[in-house]
Amino acid sequence: MANRSRIIVTGGMGFIGSHTAVELSIADYDVILVDDLSNSDISVLEGIKKLCKTEVYFENIDLKNRLACFSIFEKYDNIKGVIHFAAHKAVGESVGNPMKYYDNNINVLLNILYALVNFDIQNLIFSSSCTVYGETKDLPVTEQTEMKETASPYGKTKQMGEAIINDFTVAYPTHNAISLRYFNPIGAHPSAVIGELPLGKPENLMPYITQTAIGLRECLSVFGGDYNTPDGTAIRDYIHVVDLAQAHVVALNRLIHNLNGKSHERFNLGTGKGISVLDVIKSFERTSGVSLNYEITKRRKGDMEAIYADTELSRSVLKWEAKLSLDDMTRTAWQWEQELRKKKE
Ligand code: UFG
C-alpha cells in the first residue's frame, strides 16, 4: 500500500525498539528503523521483518550527525511521528565516561527536535526511565513524585531529555510529546524471534539469569541480601517488553489523534508490583525447569533498595495497563535465550 503512515523508530534495532516496531506493524504503520548498530546486531532486522506485515525500512545512521539525521526525514514522506529510543543506557559505564553519554544522548535528541521542526513532524514519543525519580523513598512513585538528584550521568541525560522536550513543546506549540518512564523491561517476543541481545557480559538481571542457565556464565551474583525488604533482595517493577511496546503505540495514537491533554505528558510504564531479585529467580526456575546457580554477594554500588510504579495515570488516561505476568516474562526470556543459542551453534 502506498499511503500507509510511517513512523521513525530511532534505536529501532534495540531491545525495546525492535518489539515496538512489531507492535507498530500490527497497528498498520510502516516503520523506519534508524540505528547505528553500536549496541545491536544487524541480524535483528531479519527477525523484525519476519514478524511485521507492513513495510520495514532500515537506515544505518549515526544520529549525532545532524545532516545524516535530516537525510532520513528528506528521504521518506508520510511520516506521522518519531519514537525516540536511540541512546546509550549502561548506568555504570556512564559514571566512568560521562561525556560519551551527554554527547550522544543529548545531541541526538537535539537533532531529532530540530528535524521535527524543520520537517513539521508533530508527534514525539520519548524513551525515558524511572531513573528520573532518583533516590526516592516515596513508593510507589507517581508521575508527581519529586525528582531527586540521580547518581548516574545516564539518569541525568533522561532528566535533561524530559526538560529539553518540555521547553521544546512550549516554544513550538504545534508539536506534542509524551515521555514514557520505563521501569524494568524484561522478557521477549512470544515467537522467540526477537528478544534482548546484550553484547558481551550482561549488566542486567534477566539476561544474566538466562545466560547462566544456558551455561555461558558460571554463577549469578545476587547483589545484596541485606536490604530492608521481605527477602532481603532489592525490589524492582519488572514489565514484559511486549506490554511496554504496546504502550508506545497507544501513546503515539493519542498524539496522532490529538487526544493528549497537554503538549508534553509523562507516564510511568510498569506493572505496579514490587518484585524482588529472588522472586525473579524463583519464577525463572518454575517456568524453565532449570535450577539456577546463584549466590548472594555484596550490594552493587549505586543500586536502590526498592522502586516500583504507581500505574493509575497510565491506566486512567492512556487506557493502557500491563497484562503479562512475571512467569510470562521469565518464560519468554528463556525461550529466546534457547533460540539464540541454537542460531549460534
Ligand atoms: N541484579 C543482580 N545481579 C545481576 C544483575 C542485577 O542481583 O547480575 C539485581 C540488581 O542489583 C537490581 C536488579 O537485579 O536489584 C535489577 O537490576 P538491573 O541491572 O536488571 O536493572 P536496574 O534496576 O539496575 O536498572 C534498570 C535499567 C536502567 C535504568 C534503571 C532505573 O537497566 O537503564 O533500571 O532504575 F536506569
Side-chain angles (χ1 to χ4, degrees):
M1 207 172 79
N3 278 332
R4 206 182 276 123
S5 298
R6 290 172 171 155
I7 306 298
I8 290 182
V9 182
T10 75
M13 299 283 276
F15 178 42
I16 309 174
S18 56
H19 288 79
T20 300
V22 173
E23 297 304 320
L24 285 168
S25 171
I26 292 170
D28 207 34
Y29 290 108
D30 286 345
V31 288
I32 303 162
L33 309 170
V34 185
D35 204 303
D36 66 356
L37 300 176
S38 60
N39 194 26
S40 55
D41 192 277
I42 189 68
S43 62
V44 175
L45 185 59
E46 198 188 318
I48 297 173
K49 284 189 168 167
K50 206 165 157 185
L51 295 172
C52 285
K53 61 182 173 64
T54 56
E55 292 295 330
V56 177
Y57 307 95
F58 171 60
E59 299 289 344
N60 184 345
I61 274 173
D62 180 353
L63 290 164
K64 282 205 299 299
N65 179 329
R66 188 170 300 163
L67 288 180
C69 173
F70 279 19
S71 71
I72 300 154
F73 291 81
E74 269 152 16
K75 181 168 169 184
Y76 296 93
D77 61 3
N78 218 14
I79 297 168
K80 290 290 185 287
V82 175
I83 305 186
H84 178 44
F85 294 104
H88 294 320
K89 60 169 188 176
V91 179
E93 183 194 42
S94 78
V95 176
N97 198 349
M99 290 85 86
K100 175 176 171 183
Y101 277 70
Y102 292 121
D103 183 22
N104 188 66
N105 295 8
I106 302 299
N107 282 324
V108 170
L109 174 62
L110 292 175
N111 286 344
I112 292 289
L113 297 181
Y114 275 119
L116 295 181
V117 174
N118 267 20
F119 297 90
D120 198 27
I121 312 289
Q122 295 178 349
N123 306 311
L124 172 70
I125 306 296
F126 178 60
S127 172
S128 189
S129 163
C130 67
T131 197
V132 298
Y133 295 111
E135 284 282 339
T136 185
K137 292 262 177 267
D138 278 342
L139 295 176
V141 283
T142 75
E143 288 77 356
Q144 271 70 51
T145 300
E146 192 200 339
M147 289 194 201
K148 299 270 169 55
E149 163 120 21
T150 158
S152 73
Y154 160 76
K156 291 196 181 91
T157 67
K158 292 296 175 188
Q159 288 181 332
M160 285 176 197
E162 286 196 17
I164 291 168
I165 289 169
N166 214 57
D167 292 343
F168 165 78
T169 55
V170 170
Y172 300 93
T174 56
H175 289 67
N176 293 288
I178 294 180
S179 292
L180 298 175
R181 295 172 173 169
Y182 315 146
F183 283 68
N184 285 56
I186 59 171
H189 196 269
S191 64
V193 168
I194 54 172
E196 195 165 2
L197 203 65
L199 301 181
K201 193 168 153 198
E203 298 281 337
N204 299 112
L205 179 62
M206 196 67 238
Y208 212 104
I209 289 178
T210 56
Q211 289 198 5
T212 305
I214 210 132
L216 279 176
R217 313 276 156 209
E218 210 168 305
C219 179
L220 168 78
S221 297
V222 173
F223 298 137
D226 58 351
Y227 284 108
N228 186 20
T229 59
D231 66 20
T233 64
I235 286 181
R236 296 288 181 276
D237 185 339
Y238 296 92
I239 172 168
H240 198 293
V241 65
V242 171
D243 274 331
L244 192 80
Q246 286 170 357
H248 290 75
V249 180
V250 172
L252 180 76
N253 282 336
R254 180 174 170 82
L255 293 184
I256 289 176
H257 301 301
N258 298 314
L259 299 171
N260 49 318
K262 45 186 180 171
S263 54
H264 179 208
E265 297 178 311
R266 303 147 205 241
F267 295 99
N268 286 342
L269 296 184
T271 64
K273 295 190 191 91
I275 304 281
S276 75
V277 176
L278 290 182
D279 288 334
V280 179
I281 293 173
K282 274 187 237 146
S283 166
F284 175 78
E285 290 187 326
R286 192 163 54 234
T287 57
S288 68
V290 176
S291 164
L292 194 74
N293 189 23
Y294 69 88
E295 59 172 352
I296 310 242
T297 62
K298 63 179 185 349
R299 295 180 181 192
R300 182 170 67 179
K301 221 172 142 233
D303 269 351
M304 286 175 73
E305 180 166 276
I307 186 158
Y308 51 95
D310 181 305
T311 56
E312 183 47 35
L313 195 69
S314 48
R315 202 184 0 249
S316 60
V317 177
L318 267 191
K319 312 270 185 281
W320 166 91
E321 66 184 312
K323 295 191 197 77
L324 298 166
S325 67
L326 178 60
D327 281 0
D328 292 324
M329 302 178 211
T330 56
R331 182 185 311 105
T332 52
W334 180 232
Q335 285 162 347
W336 161 245
E337 183 70 62
Q338 289 171 299
E339 272 311 305
L340 201 56
R341 295 311 138 195
K342 264 191 235 159
K343 270 188 228 155
K344 294 207 164 155
E345 268 161 20

